[in-house]
Amino acid sequence: MNPSGLPPLASLPGPQIRAVHDELHGDLLELSMGPHHPSTHGVFRMVVTLDGETVVKLKPVFGYLHRNHEKIAEGASYLGSMPYTDRLDYLCSMTNNWSYALAVERLAGQAVSERAEYVRVILAELTRLLNHTCLAGFLLQDGGASGTPLMYAFREREKILDLFESLSGSRMMCNYQRFGGCRADPSPAWLDSARALVDGYGRFLDEYEALLTGNEILMARTQGIGRLSPQLAVSAGVTGPMLRAAGVGYDIRKVDGYGFYPRFTFRVPIGADGDTYDRYMVRILEMRESIGILRQALRDIPAGPILDPKAKQRGLRPKAGEVYSRIEGPKGEIGFFLISDGGPNPYRYRVRPPSLINLTILEDMCLGQSIADSVVILGSVDIVLGEVDR
Amino acid sequence: MLGTGLLQGLAVTARNFLGSFYDRRRFVTTQYPEQRTALPEAYRNFPFLVCESADDPMGTLRCVACQICEKECPPQCIYIEKSKDKKPDANGKPQIYPAVFDIDTAVCMSCQICVEVCPFDAIKMDQVFELAATDRFGALLMDRHALAKPNSYFQSIHPTEAGEVDSRLLAARLAAEEKARTAAAAKAAPKPAAPKPPAAPSAEAPKPSPPLA
Amino acid sequence: METTEQIRERILASLPGAQVSLVTNPGLAAQHSLLLGAAHALQAALLLRDDAALRLDFCSNVTGVDWPEREVSEADPTAPGGKVKRVVPGFLEVVYHLYSVALGHGPLVVRMRTANRSDQVTLPSLTPVWRSCEFQEREVFDLFGVVFAGHPDLRRILMWDEFKDHPMRKDYVEPDDFEWEPTPHGDVLERARRHYPAPARPAKEPAP
Amino acid sequence: MSAGPTDAHLLERAPFLLRDWLTHALPEPLRWFANTLIAIAAILAIFGTLFALLTLVERKVLGRVQNRPGPNRTGWFGILQPVADGIKMLTKEDIVPRAADPLLHFLAPVALLGFSVLTFAVIPYGRDLVAVRLDAGVLYFFAAGSATELSIFMAGWSSNNKYALVAAMRALAQLISYELPLLLSAVPVVLAAGTLSAPDIVESQGGFTWGFVPHWHVFTPWGAAAFLVFFISALSESNRSPFDLPEAESELIAGHLTEYSGFKYALFFMAEYFGMCSLCGMAVTLFLGGWQAPLAALEFIPSYAWFALKLCALLLVFIWIRATLPRLRMDQLTRFAWKFLVPLALVNLAASAFWSLSFGWAGPMQALRWAIGIALAVGPFVLLGRRLGAGIGPRTYRYA
């Protein structure tokens, strides 16, 4: 009855480590880490039960940032939800925009111009660079490095944000994609500065890796820590670099081939052990692939309109129906499920938040590890609370 | 292994330490109040209302209180009350004007949707970001007097966009004048059965602007 | 991947007596879905996951939809005026989007519906089949009020534990507990007046 | 502190001249007392200033490493930042949790500071410039230094906070693990010098080979290895990155400092920097020739300046390491101590014994002596390092 090798029903959450607590071993210590804690990446709480320093139980608690994004969007027009998607995963507004625009385009049957597709790929890959760079910095911060990797990451991130700002007018809340294209046309000068950035990024990654990848302390802290089996990863809906680090080569850019990704050659790095080090390294390698995609896209980008002037933005009333559409965001599968009843605002609007779903197996990964590792494991999951809580 | 990775890391930080003394790329901080980075032209912060003349901002607002932006604003930070009377606009046409036009910048999320939906090019994004105030409520709730800024200011912060807007408005005005002339000529002509000229945009409602490039 | 209709027949072949019906999607995306009856949902889900041709091992998205009671008018020649008004009872719906990582296909949309929106809101949990449902079903429970039987840890997830009501339902009424702040909006000001009848706070009315 | 050297030049004698000028009018028994008080006051003043400057330098260096300027708003080059911090700390509310043990909570920072100041007594800051000339000075130093961890445990336990408690436990485990290699790495020096008195150890490192290679212990194979062990253990003893586990902010907020605020918090920092300074001072004394000049031609520069220079260089390395490395985990920390540092220090003891025994070897035997010495230092390092690093290493990745 279980040919796919997936975990049977017995592998449900629950403490898998039996904690010994008698007179010799003493009591268990329950520690509420968060919501105000330096390493929970925002207002996130982990109720951790410790046996010494070993985690025997861990329950994530969130919702502190909950604003019912979905309810707000159901009361807003289709266009009016676009700026709210910026605020889900506020590191990756461009990919959130794209995913939402793609969902509405599929719902309303709107075609996208060729130049806009290229610009979307460029921006999505820049977002991936930005997100993964920051993640490596945050991960090392969680591992106790005094901010140096993080500051180097932010130094490079700033360059990407400058590009976003000069194109969309805002550094993080870009609100850039529109149904049927993009809002502003990148100038030749913008494309040139993007090329310059992409050309310099490989050098930065080399320096970054010299600082981190060969570091014995980093290896000792991450290798063999927080292992995730491919079966559990797939069953738990883990997506993105985390899934690939667990050894499953599933990349929506390849599987769905949305946008113009089939036109570009790139490889999908996969890990073997599914531990924290693999999650870190897969992201580093993905950045190198992203640089390749960016080179191709910036070389091939055609001239033409960026947005179909007839494409309806305001007062869009898609035909009644529903759509689920997803893209490969930097954190995983970011999808939008929309139901239209023919009205000016969606009847049902749902975000599939990769950060939240990747957290499902946090306890499984942390059990039996030390409390210091649980922080690093959380860092390697790569969550943004704006998206977890919505 | 055996600490070589650690030494490699130490070499990287040492390079950055030394580099920070002579290499601008390794010393990226801008000392903000004294030094300022140039804002990109596309930079946007909060909306403002465009008026034609700096001397009479209230009299020359482009806004005709159509309330589209109020309806479209996702966080609903715009509040408009229409005027009871009409004032002549830049073309001399009598128009409704906003008796109240408030934007609560504490609520505004700088999304620029009001700009995109405005068919009259009357609301644009400002670049002033130093808005810190001690009064949490009053100072962040901007009325139409605080919001009105002349077209020349718009030209200075977004030259490309303003150039396009101005040429579009000029074309619309010329077309309107042309239409008026044709209409006058048609009225003057003895035969009223003359075919109507091809639909020209009327002065009251220029064509909705294409999304901003 | 097989069409939704073929998958339906595949389920019916293995689970005779199961209630599986096709829900067509009139939209342009044409993602049709299967409506599973609650009684056989768990077996059907296991079948979808483990069937060698389907292997839908990845449950991507789980969400709820609230369909409140609504009135429709139907043509009825016997009734006066030729039309009759009929009340369609409301229900809560849970939608699952399934993909196959092993075979790279998807999505298959699976739905389940509760009997009504008030007391019969229990559906079987599919968390035993796909672990990814764990948090998402909790979210549906939290925001829509669908009770998942067999869920290992059914608690509120985004709202706090003491919270009453389910905010994503269409008839949810926001609590009247806002903090005073000056606003240009007339209706909010009106509500403020109800909350703070006297000049309890130094209200600075915006200039009209 | 006895009378200053009489044969040295003026700058070398300056501290003693100043002291004698201040106290020469006093009667003899009182003069001894006043001289001691002046020594204490000088140490407190100098290291107090160094602490203030060090906080600034640390932030500046960290900033520069991270491509930013560091504090630069208070005074020229941010020079007043320590003052501003001091004022802030002094004026902040001192919060004692209701559930805390108030007495221990108060005593912990005081005791910590006291113990860390005690260690300054036996470090020779220059020729004859030592506060207390103890025959067992090195022993005294380690005894006083290890008491600081007790204060950290006091702070952690008395705070009645879970984070602080975990930190206290970590501090104790760390103490037990690293006190041993620290001591073991000092033993070869004592063996070579034949004395436990710090000034005599410095004296024994005087002289030069061929006129330019100083006879510092660090320039011998066993000395280099012992210095490495001592330095790593000193990082751990002073709770500095990558061994700052008791105050690991990414998991334990601020560890034992979680419930401290105001000036008590500042005292902890002061003690941390004092501990760092005294351990660096001891490292300089034991391995880097103390106040000895590195070249005979440079001996005109006063001895205390050389000591200060070496001390600051070591402190900068501390800061540099902190700017670079992530933190170890608790079990890795103890494993590193017991499986790497302690065996290394023990083997090194044999290496130094061999070095002493082969003192008379000359000619080609000299080369053999060096070869054996280096093999005895590097061989265990490689072997133990391999064992410690088994199972971790760079990986290659495949692509789907």
Side-chain angles (χ1 to χ4, degrees):
Chain A
M1 191 59 201
N2 195 0
S4 67
L6 280 163
L9 302 187
S11 72
L12 280 172
Q16 292 161 10
I17 302 287
R18 283 281 159 263
V20 189
H21 44 114
D22 48 28
E23 274 184 17
L24 184 64
H25 291 84
D27 291 337
L28 296 179
L29 181 72
E30 190 171 278
L31 194 58
S32 176
M33 293 178 77
H36 301 289
H37 187 282
S39 335
T40 49
H41 296 244
V43 276
F44 175 72
R45 188 152 75 100
M46 296 192 283
V47 184
V48 189
T49 308
L50 294 174
D51 179 13
E53 288 211 16
T54 310
V55 177
V56 293
K57 194 176 155 197
L58 185 148
K59 289 287 169 209
V61 180
F62 34 81
Y64 298 96
L65 221 55
H66 182 53
R67 53 208 183 271
N68 219 336
H69 170 70
E70 295 176 5
K71 187 91 176 173
I72 294 171
E74 284 170 17
S77 68
Y78 283 89
L79 177 62
S81 294
M82 185 62 87
Y84 284 119
T85 61
D86 293 336
R87 286 148 177 87
L88 285 170
D89 172 359
Y90 36 77
L91 286 175
C92 311
S93 64
M94 286 292 188
T95 43
N96 297 344
N97 279 184
W98 186 6
S99 185
Y100 178 58
L102 197 65
V104 176
E105 280 154 10
R106 287 190 178 156
L107 193 63
Q110 175 66 50
V112 184
S113 76
E114 196 168 351
R115 185 174 172 84
E117 290 280 22
Y118 269 90
V119 171
R120 284 179 175 186
V121 169
I122 291 169
L123 293 172
E125 294 308 315
L126 282 176
T127 307
R128 205 176 309 279
L129 285 183
L130 181 157
N131 182 71
H132 289 357
T133 310
C134 288
L135 172 101
F138 284 128
L139 186 62
L140 268 288
Q141 184 78 357
D142 293 339
S146 313
T148 306
L150 185 62
M151 294 309 280
Y152 293 170
F154 271 41
R155 183 184 76 201
E156 298 306 309
R157 166 185 186 244
E158 202 64 17
K159 296 175 185 165
I160 299 176
L161 289 184
D162 282 347
L163 279 182
F164 285 180
E165 186 180 25
S166 60
L167 182 62
S168 75
S170 187
R171 292 150 49 83
M172 293 170 79
M173 306 297 140
C174 297
N175 183 20
Y176 178 70
Q177 312 288 357
R178 287 291 174 268
F179 315 130
C182 308
R183 184 159 56 73
D185 196 7
S187 65
W190 188 91
L191 291 172
D192 281 340
S193 44
R195 278 180 201 114
L197 177 117
V198 171
D199 287 340
Y201 218 84
R203 223 172 28 248
F204 159 70
L205 280 184
D206 291 341
E207 187 189 44
Y208 211 51
E209 284 213 72
L211 177 64
L212 304 174
T213 304
N215 188 316
E216 283 86 356
I217 298 182
L218 175 76
M219 285 191 224
R221 281 300 302 276
T222 52
Q223 293 192 348
I225 299 301
R227 278 177 196 269
L228 178 61
S229 70
Q231 291 81 15
L232 182 60
V234 171
S235 170
V238 171
T239 45
M242 254 183 102
L243 178 66
R244 291 189 283 276
V248 184
Y250 190 75
D251 188 322
I252 299 169
R253 292 178 292 178
K254 292 274 189 197
V255 175
D256 283 10
Y258 62 94
F260 276 2
Y261 276 112
R263 293 194 185 186
F264 303 110
T265 47
F266 62 99
R267 300 175 299 172
V268 179
I270 52 177
D273 293 349
D275 55 10
T276 308
Y277 186 76
D278 276 352
R279 288 194 278 278
Y280 159 77
M281 276 308 288
V282 160
R283 286 179 172 111
I284 296 278
L285 295 172
E286 255 181 36
M287 281 200 266
R288 301 216 181 254
E289 297 301 318
S290 287
I291 291 174
I293 299 175
L294 280 166
R295 286 230 168 88
Q296 297 168 47
L298 286 164
R299 186 190 63 211
D300 299 340
I301 181 167
I306 191 85
L307 182 62
D308 179 6
K310 290 200 196 76
K312 206 164 185 191
Q313 311 294 335
R314 182 167 79 86
L316 183 71
R317 289 166 175 267
K319 195 168 163 248
E322 64 173 52
V323 70
Y324 176 71
S325 153
R326 57 179 193 164
I327 69 166
E328 178 75 31
K331 294 192 165 55
E333 172 184 333
I334 166 109
F336 283 84
F337 174 58
L338 299 172
I339 300 182
S340 167
D341 57 358
N345 40 356
Y347 181 81
R348 177 79 181 100
Y349 167 107
R350 149 84 177 169
V351 190
R352 185 221 187 254
S355 291
L356 172 82
I357 295 164
N358 287 357
L359 274 179
T360 311
I361 35 73
L362 181 67
E363 183 179 21
D364 302 59
M365 289 197 291
C366 289
L367 284 183
Q369 310 285 357
S370 89
I371 177 149
D373 285 334
S374 69
V375 166
V376 180
I377 292 169
L378 175 69
S380 74
V381 175
D382 192 9
I383 57 166
V384 160
L385 268 296
E387 184 178 271
V388 173
D389 292 346
R390 284 159 295 136
Chain B
M1 282 277 91
L2 292 175
T4 49
L6 302 182
L7 293 178
Q8 211 179 6
L10 286 169
V12 170
T13 45
R15 247 197 326 271
N16 273 284
F17 176 73
L18 296 175
S20 73
F21 289 99
Y22 62 86
D23 188 353
R24 184 70 204 166
R25 281 172 308 157
R26 293 202 196 277
F27 193 65
V28 288
T29 314
T30 308
Q31 299 293 326
Y32 158 61
E34 297 90 22
Q35 301 171 6
R36 280 153 188 276
T37 47
L39 290 173
E41 199 188 321
Y43 174 73
R44 60 173 203 259
N45 197 355
F46 290 124
F48 71 98
L49 294 175
V50 187
C51 60
E52 301 296 346
S53 143
D55 304 324
D56 178 21
M58 287 308 104
T60 56
L61 282 180
R62 282 183 190 166
C63 177
V64 298
C66 68
Q67 293 182 314
I68 290 178
C69 56
E70 187 185 14
K71 280 193 204 79
E72 286 295 321
C73 176
Q76 296 171 8
C77 68
I78 305 180
Y79 180 70
I80 301 175
E81 273 177 25
K82 289 186 180 203
S83 65
K84 302 274 189 303
D85 55 336
K86 288 188 175 185
K87 272 191 201 169
D89 67 356
N91 298 338
K93 271 253 175 202
Q95 290 280 18
I96 292 175
Y97 62 94
V100 173
F101 196 114
D102 288 346
I103 292 183
D104 192 348
T105 50
V107 174
C108 174
M109 61 176 179
S110 311
C111 67
Q112 183 168 352
I113 281 180
C114 52
V115 177
E116 282 167 55
V117 300
C118 180
F120 302 95
D121 289 302
I123 187 164
K124 294 290 169 192
M125 296 309 278
D126 205 348
Q127 293 196 335
V128 176
F129 55 86
E130 285 159 324
L131 292 159
T134 48
D135 176 10
R136 183 181 142 199
F137 297 131
L140 294 177
L141 183 62
M142 314 258 252
D143 61 8
R144 60 185 185 137
H145 298 278
L147 289 169
K149 293 192 175 168
N151 195 21
S152 54
Y153 174 77
F154 178 41
Q155 296 271 10
S156 70
I157 57 170
H158 298 296
T160 319
E161 189 190 342
E164 282 167 19
V165 168
D166 279 4
S167 54
R168 193 162 61 231
L169 289 180
L170 186 67
R173 190 157 69 224
L174 290 180
E177 282 167 11
E178 179 65 34
K179 185 191 167 198
R181 248 201 313 280
T182 326
K187 206 181 255 178
K191 295 260 179 187
K196 272 200 164 185
S202 70
E204 287 96 312
K207 275 207 166 142
S209 54
L212 305 164
Chain C
M1 196 175 71
E2 294 171 328
T3 63
T4 320
E5 178 59 35
Q6 285 167 319
I7 294 171
R8 175 176 171 263
E9 275 153 20
R10 190 179 277 275
I11 297 174
L12 286 177
S14 298
L15 289 172
Q19 296 172 311
V20 184
S21 51
L22 189 70
V23 181
T24 50
N25 176 357
L28 294 161
Q31 292 173 343
H32 307 301
S33 47
L34 289 179
L35 179 64
L36 298 183
H40 293 84
L42 200 61
Q43 288 97 316
L46 275 171
L47 183 79
L48 290 174
R49 187 187 74 176
D50 298 333
D51 187 283
L54 296 173
R55 292 193 66 182
L56 295 160
D57 46 8
F58 169 39
C59 175
S60 168
N61 181 43
V62 182
T63 191
V65 187
D66 182 22
W67 299 99
E69 192 176 271
R70 66 202 154 101
E71 255 185 8
V72 288
S73 51
E74 286 174 344
D76 184 357
T78 58
K83 284 195 172 179
V84 70
K85 284 197 172 159
R86 193 167 65 85
V87 174
V88 178
F91 55 88
L92 298 167
E93 186 175 61
V94 187
V95 187
Y96 296 79
H97 289 89
L98 310 176
Y99 286 86
S100 169
V101 169
L103 303 177
H105 58 224
L108 175 72
V109 190
V110 170
R111 321 175 94 91
M112 289 192 286
R113 287 176 183 169
T114 61
N116 60 24
R117 298 173 69 247
S118 48
D119 53 345
Q120 290 171 289
V121 289
T122 304
L123 288 176
S125 166
L126 298 190
T127 308
V129 187
W130 296 285
R131 181 73 191 280
S132 62
C133 302
E134 185 187 343
F135 281 8
Q136 301 191 71
E137 284 182 344
R138 269 179 74 184
E139 189 182 316
V140 173
F141 164 72
D142 187 358
L143 302 182
F144 289 90
V146 179
V147 176
F148 289 95
H151 191 284
D153 186 20
L154 198 65
R155 291 176 291 138
R156 284 192 181 271
I157 187 165
L158 293 171
M159 309 303 284
W160 55 102
D161 289 340
E162 297 77 19
F163 187 78
K164 300 271 188 293
D165 208 348
H166 304 286
M168 279 303 289
R169 288 200 183 184
K170 292 285 175 189
D171 51 3
Y172 173 73
V173 185
E174 276 179 59
D176 194 24
D177 60 347
F178 76 113
E179 214 178 314
W180 184 88
E181 63 176 300
T183 164
H185 293 275
D187 52 338
V188 184
L189 276 180
E190 179 50 43
R191 217 163 68 163
R193 246 174 242 116
R194 264 186 281 126
H195 272 265
Y196 305 101
R201 298 233 193 156
K204 198 174 134 199
E205 291 276 334
Chain D
M1 206 183 279
S2 62
T6 46
D7 54 337
H9 59 80
L10 188 71
L11 268 178
E12 184 71 53
R13 281 182 294 143
F16 301 98
L17 293 176
L18 190 66
R19 183 196 66 187
D20 291 342
W21 177 74
L22 282 171
T23 59
H24 73 279
L26 295 170
E28 186 55 39
L30 266 183
R31 195 190 294 174
W32 174 85
F33 185 66
N35 281 352
T36 312
L37 273 186
I38 283 177
I40 293 172
I43 285 174
L44 284 183
I46 287 172
F47 280 96
T49 318
L50 186 65
F51 156 66
L53 281 179
L54 208 54
T55 55
L56 177 66
V57 168
E58 170 147 34
R59 290 170 68 182
K60 281 292 211 191
V61 170
L62 269 179
R64 285 280 168 179
V65 164
Q66 295 168 0
N67 303 318
R68 56 189 177 84
N72 64 350
R73 293 276 152 173
T74 38
W76 175 78
F77 208 62
I79 198 85
L80 293 179
Q81 189 66 39
V83 181
D85 286 343
I87 294 172
K88 185 191 85 175
M89 288 297 189
L90 273 174
T91 50
K92 265 187 144 177
E93 188 190 354
D94 172 36
I95 298 165
V96 182
R98 196 179 299 154
D101 184 322
L103 181 66
L104 284 184
H105 191 264
F106 167 76
L107 269 184
V110 177
L112 182 61
L113 191 68
F115 286 129
S116 54
V117 168
L118 282 183
T119 53
F120 287 127
V122 291
I123 296 173
Y125 302 103
R127 202 186 295 271
D128 292 316
L129 206 61
V130 58
V132 184
R133 195 178 268 277
L134 271 183
D135 283 344
V138 176
L139 208 58
Y140 164 83
F141 178 88
F142 290 120
S146 59
T148 53
E149 303 282 338
L150 187 70
S151 314
I152 292 182
F153 183 75
M154 256 160 81
W157 185 82
S158 68
S159 293
N160 204 353
N161 174 306
K162 290 173 181 172
Y163 292 115
L165 187 66
V166 174
M169 293 309 188
R170 285 182 173 190
L172 278 191
Q174 203 167 333
L175 164 81
I176 294 165
S177 305
Y178 279 84
E179 202 61 33
L180 203 59
L182 192 74
L183 271 166
L184 281 177
S185 63
V187 171
V189 177
V190 177
L191 201 70
T195 173
L196 272 170
S197 155
D200 294 345
I201 288 175
V202 178
E203 289 286 354
S204 76
Q205 299 180 64
F208 302 91
T209 307
W210 308 318
F212 67 90
V213 180
H215 286 169
W216 300 353
H217 291 316
V218 75
F219 293 123
T220 58
W222 63 266
F227 178 63
L228 186 75
V229 175
F230 187 91
F231 190 79
I232 293 173
S233 309
L235 277 174
S236 176
E237 279 287 298
S238 52
N239 291 333
R240 292 284 299 183
S241 170
F243 304 104
D244 51 345
L245 278 120
E247 45 188 298
E249 87 284 343
S250 60
E251 58 239 37
L252 296 184
I253 319 285
H256 57 285
L257 303 177
T258 307
E259 296 292 359
Y260 280 93
S261 58
F263 204 65
K264 284 185 196 159
Y265 186 76
L267 285 185
F268 275 105
F269 265 83
M270 203 185 248
E272 180 188 328
Y273 280 89
F274 279 180
M276 202 163 107
C277 289
S278 71
L279 277 164
C280 283
M282 192 39 83
V284 169
T285 304
L286 292 178
F287 299 102
L288 300 179
W291 41 261
Q292 309 267 10
L295 284 174
L298 292 173
E299 276 178 339
F300 67 91
I301 297 173
S303 56
Y304 47 84
W306 282 119
F307 181 86
L309 209 64
K310 291 174 190 173
L311 179 70
C312 289
L314 273 191
L315 289 174
L316 274 181
V317 177
F318 266 54
I319 295 172
W320 181 18
I321 287 177
R322 180 181 163 194
T324 310
L325 300 184
R327 191 181 297 120
L328 280 168
R329 208 172 57 216
M330 196 60 218
D331 55 321
Q332 291 167 342
L333 179 100
T334 43
R335 195 180 312 138
F336 184 66
W338 292 106
K339 288 195 166 173
F340 184 76
L341 291 180
V342 171
L344 201 62
L346 284 172
V347 175
N348 203 37
L349 210 55
S352 80
F354 162 77
W355 197 257
S356 302
L357 284 175
S358 60
F359 183 71
W361 294 11
M365 292 300 279
Q366 182 80 358
L368 184 67
R369 183 190 184 212
W370 273 91
I372 296 177
I374 290 175
L376 278 177
V378 176
F381 178 82
V382 172
L383 288 176
L384 289 170
R386 284 254 171 83
R387 257 200 76 196
L388 191 72
I392 65 161
R395 293 180 184 164
T396 48
Y397 286 83
R398 62 201 170 88
Y399 293 86

